[in-house]
Amino acid sequence: MENPSGSPLLLISDLDDTIKISHTQSKLVTVYRGLFRTSAFAGMAQLYTELLARNPGSTFIVVSSSPPQIRRKVEFFLSSNGFPKAKLVLRDWIRQTSIIRYKLKAILELVEKSAVPVLLIGDDTEHDPEVFARVALRHPKKVAARYLRVVKGRELPEGSQGFFTAFDLACAELSAGRLESAQVLRVGEAVLKAEKSSRLIPWFSILPPANFAPRPDHAPDSPIAELWKKIHARLQAIGKERK
């Protein structure tokens, strides 16, 4: 399914460790952090806002394994961190005991009903890589891109694209024609504004390789390349803090 510049799309995003800094390990930890943690990854709210603004008529849906009992907490997290209004799809832990089966079914239903291209955004901590790959296999013409935040650094299925910060993902969407340069710069500035280094790369996430570059094809003196130098320096500083 083609996605002409400025056309509607369906943005399906995971919550924990994709846009929310959670470090999910167990059901109890998920509930605890769902109730009390409110930190978002730097730049993700700006990125989603820019994507929806550039592509009018788009829909934003959060598919999470969090239980319906914390729906209001999730809604508060999204609104307090500046995310666009989203539809929430949450998991009934009593009836839907398998996370991977729940996510696959939920996302497949959304993709099958969608008349517009779909962006899938998740992370590599649990089942998103495999679920996204299976959805894309079933609907290769509908899934425009599969993005996965690199937290553990495990090997990703073919066709997936890893990212470390919102700026990386914004650069990829610029290449795809779904964002403009000015929007990418705004996302990058939002990443740089994070006061705490943990909002960029939390302690439990791996750092990008020293030679990593989200847009190597940009001219060295372009505004995006210059902004990347600043973000890269910030990431390098985080690496030194960990040593």
Side-chain angles (χ1 to χ4, degrees), residues 157-173:
E158 185 178 356
S160 305
Q161 184 166 343
F163 70 97
F164 294 91
T165 72
F167 180 75
D168 312 341
L169 207 159
C171 286
E173 282 299 283

Side-chain angles (χ1 to χ4, degrees), residues 89-107:
V89 178
L90 305 177
R91 178 171 68 99
D92 184 334
W93 284 9
I94 296 176
R95 298 176 180 176
Q96 298 166 310
T97 56
S98 169
I99 294 177
I100 191 167
R101 283 201 295 269
Y102 151 73
K103 274 207 161 181
L104 181 60
K105 182 175 184 293
I107 295 176

Side-chain angles (χ1 to χ4, degrees), residues 39-219:
S39 296
F41 281 98
M44 292 302 289
Q46 186 71 42
L47 171 68
Y48 286 8
T49 298
E50 300 291 353
L51 276 169
L52 268 60
R54 180 69 181 85
N55 302 278
S58 296
T59 303
F60 172 32
I61 301 179
V62 172
V63 177
S64 170
S65 59
S66 296
Q69 289 81 357
I70 65 170
R71 176 179 294 273
R72 290 187 179 180
K73 291 289 184 180
V74 175
E75 291 173 342
F76 174 76
F77 163 79
L78 293 170
S79 63
S80 63
N81 282 285
F83 283 91
K85 188 172 180 59
K87 175 184 176 181
L88 301 183
V89 178
L90 305 177
R91 178 171 68 99
D92 184 334
W93 284 9
I94 296 176
R95 298 176 180 176
Q96 298 166 310
T97 56
S98 169
I99 294 177
I100 191 167
R101 283 201 295 269
Y102 151 73
K103 274 207 161 181
L104 181 60
K105 182 175 184 293
I107 295 176
L108 274 174
E109 288 179 353
L110 292 171
V111 173
E112 287 168 356
K113 294 177 182 178
S114 179
V116 300
V118 181
L119 296 185
L120 301 175
I121 304 179
D123 60 80
D124 71 355
T125 61
E126 292 188 303
H127 309 294
D128 289 345
E130 291 74 27
V131 168
F132 289 3
R134 290 174 68 177
V135 171
L137 186 63
R138 289 274 294 273
H139 300 284
K141 294 183 179 180
K142 285 190 173 185
V143 177
R146 290 177 272 148
Y147 296 113
L148 295 157
R149 181 180 295 281
V150 178
V151 178
K152 292 184 175 181
R154 63 190 179 96
E155 187 175 355
L156 301 178
E158 185 178 356
S160 305
Q161 184 166 343
F163 70 97
F164 294 91
T165 72
F167 180 75
D168 312 341
L169 207 159
C171 286
E173 282 299 283
L174 174 64
S175 295
R178 289 182 288 264
L179 282 183
E180 296 179 340
S181 295
Q183 295 181 298
V184 175
L185 292 173
R186 286 195 289 270
V187 172
E189 291 294 346
V191 169
L192 280 176
K193 284 180 181 178
E195 295 182 1
K196 296 181 179 180
S197 297
S198 59
R199 292 281 305 281
L200 274 74
I201 304 284
W203 64 269
F204 54 85
S205 294
I206 68 168
L207 289 164
N211 62 349
F212 172 77
R215 281 299 299 266
D217 57 325
H218 262 78

